[in-house]
Amino acid sequence: MTIESILRRKGTSVTTIAPEASIKRAADWLRAKNIGALVVTSENAVVGLISEREIVHAFSRYGEEAGSMSVKEIMQYGVTTVSPDESINRVMNLMTHHRVRHMPVVSGGKLAGIVSIGDVVKHRLEDLELET
């Protein structure tokens, strides 16, 4: 099974944000879309990721002023990406090794989707149910 099979079920829509956007804007997008992470892009290139985790850490560290800080000040840089033909087992290993819950999917240099640990676990559970 590959990441492409997950994307076929959940879709390839990805909510992105610019590095210059405020952390408050990022938090508003996460709440509005009911998602846990945003892919940070600049000129259609993936430059990082910002998740609930980074936002919580920013507010803990900087207090209320964190809301007006920019995404680029707290986002994860050098985020690991995967391709649609990557195996689900490999992606689970990468998520565990890098201690991340979200991975952007890139195909041909373009953002093609995002998978979360929840997506991967759900897919694996469905596979196990089919096997039994």
Side-chain angles (χ1 to χ4, degrees):
M1 286 300 203
T2 64
I3 292 303
E4 187 173 25
S5 60
I6 292 176
L7 294 179
R8 270 190 302 239
R9 288 185 186 166
K10 76 173 269 188
T12 58
S13 178
V14 182
T15 305
T16 62
I17 195 162
E20 298 79 22
S22 71
I23 293 172
K24 168 79 165 86
R25 176 82 170 132
D28 289 344
W29 268 111
L30 292 175
R31 181 183 49 77
K33 298 283 188 171
N34 195 30
I35 54 177
L38 300 166
V39 177
V40 183
T41 58
S42 179
E43 298 178 17
N44 294 325
V46 174
V47 295
L49 193 77
I50 185 166
S51 71
E52 296 162 327
R53 179 184 288 170
E54 285 79 38
I55 293 171
V56 167
H57 286 233
F59 276 99
S60 175
R61 186 172 186 181
Y62 304 110
E64 287 184 34
E65 69 184 63
S68 60
M69 294 171 62
S70 65
V71 166
K72 66 183 171 189
E73 295 179 69
I74 67 162
M75 70 183 209
Q76 299 172 32
Y77 285 88
V79 65
T80 303
T81 61
V82 294
S83 66
D85 60 347
E86 201 80 55
S87 78
I88 292 173
N89 285 339
R90 172 142 167 76
V91 172
M92 285 191 312
N93 287 331
L94 286 170
M95 287 178 159
T96 302
H97 177 74
H98 293 286
R99 298 179 51 86
V100 296
R101 293 176 270 181
H102 302 88
M103 288 198 151
V105 181
V106 176
S107 179
K110 297 194 185 268
L111 188 59
I114 188 167
V115 291
S116 70
I117 190 69
D119 297 328
V120 172
V121 169
K122 179 182 176 186
H123 197 80
R124 280 296 291 143
L125 286 174
E126 289 170 356
D127 285 347
L128 291 172
E129 286 176 7
L130 284 174
E131 287 178 16
T132 57

